[in-house]
Every structure is written in C-alpha cells, then in structure tokens.
Amino acid sequence: MADFCFNIALGRIAELAHRILGTGGGAQESAGAFVIVLLASSGVEADATLKDVDTLAALVAGATNEATNTGYSRLTYDETGDGLSVTVDDANDRVDVDFTDPTWAAVSADGTGAIGDLVVCMDFNTGSGTDSDIVPLTCHDFSVTANGGSITATVPSGGFFRAS
C-alpha cells in the first residue's frame, strides 16, 4: 500500500483506474495511463511537502529529482494489459487497485544513484501530455541501490491502493 496519497488524488484513484480500463460504467480515458516514476534518494523533500504538489513537474521542480540512472525509464500501465485491475470487494467494503510488479532491467548506479521513492501518477494524455499534465497519485518508500542489475518493485497482494 501507499506510503502516502497526494492530496490532489484523494478519493480518485479507483475511478481513474476504471477510466483507463473502460470499466465501472464511466467513459474510458483512451489515451490515459498510470505512469510509474522513480525518485532519487538524495535531496527528497519531506512527505508533508510533497503531498501538496499537484503535478509531476511540480514534484521534481524543487530539491526532489527523478532518477536519471542508465537503464531507468518511466513505466506505463494502460488498458492494453500490464495486469492493471480494479477489484470491488463487497464482503470487506473496499476497492483494491493493482498492477503487475514494475521491473526495470539493467539499471546502473550512475546518474542520480540510489532510488528512494516510487510514485504512481496519472497521465491523461500519454500521446502528447507533459509533466505539467501528469498528476501524482501515490508515493511509496522504495529504497534501492542500483548496481547494473534488474530492479523490481513488489506490489502487495492487496494492490498498490485500497479505498475503503
């Protein structure tokens, strides 16, 4: 589960996942996707400060930096697969949003070095959107020292987000 949910995303994540998948009775966000971003561990601002940013551009505009290690790139989870799912659990009165474990192959220790956080964002227009259009949803502590090997973030069995 998330370390914290950005204030702008409170109450929205399950609906956004439904929009990406075209399920849940709403209109499909045909060009939309969840975007997974890794942040460098050095210089990251306090969670209380980060919670208040409203765009990915604002998130990395201050002391907080996106990873720049060789082998790292943003991952996109859309309606074409990737294990993106929304599960309504009536027995436990909750909704779980999940996707397959994100994996980056051969991530070097260069660039920004160690990784400190994993951020799940919503890109409403993957074809032509900018970082100013991407909304951060959840931030997860993710401490990894890149060494040229693969990096995998294990998503808990209940998903990356639970609304109850």
Side-chain angles (χ1 to χ4, degrees):
M1 294 300 144
D3 185 39
F4 70 84
C5 185
F6 289 84
N7 290 334
I8 195 167
L10 293 171
R12 294 181 68 192
I13 295 171
E15 178 58 28
L16 292 172
H18 275 300
R19 287 172 62 179
I20 291 168
L21 294 169
T23 60
Q28 185 170 13
E29 192 72 44
S30 61
F34 285 140
V35 177
I36 313 301
V37 176
L38 297 180
L39 300 179
S41 64
S42 61
V44 175
E45 295 157 294
D47 288 355
T49 300
L50 296 180
K51 283 176 112 168
D52 295 335
V53 302
D54 296 338
T55 67
L56 180 57
L59 178 65
V60 297
T64 301
N65 292 305
E66 182 174 0
T68 60
N69 306 54
T70 301
Y72 162 74
S73 63
R74 296 175 184 176
L75 299 180
T76 303
Y77 288 74
D78 58 24
E79 80 285 354
T80 62
D82 307 314
L84 180 60
S85 66
V86 179
T87 303
V88 177
D89 184 344
D90 292 329
N92 292 298
D93 299 326
R94 65 185 185 215
V95 175
D96 293 330
V97 181
D98 196 9
F99 47 72
T100 56
D101 294 347
T103 299
W104 296 265
V107 180
S108 298
D110 64 352
T112 49
I115 308 299
D117 290 304
L118 181 149
V119 179
V120 179
C121 304
M122 177 66 187
D123 186 349
F124 291 92
N125 189 348
T126 58
S128 62
T130 67
D131 285 0
S132 294
D133 300 318
I134 298 174
V135 177
L137 303 175
T138 60
C139 184
H140 308 259
D141 289 335
F142 187 61
S143 181
V144 176
T145 301
N147 62 8
S150 294
I151 295 176
T152 299
T154 304
V155 179
S157 60
F160 87 94
F161 182 79
R162 174 174 285 161
S164 58

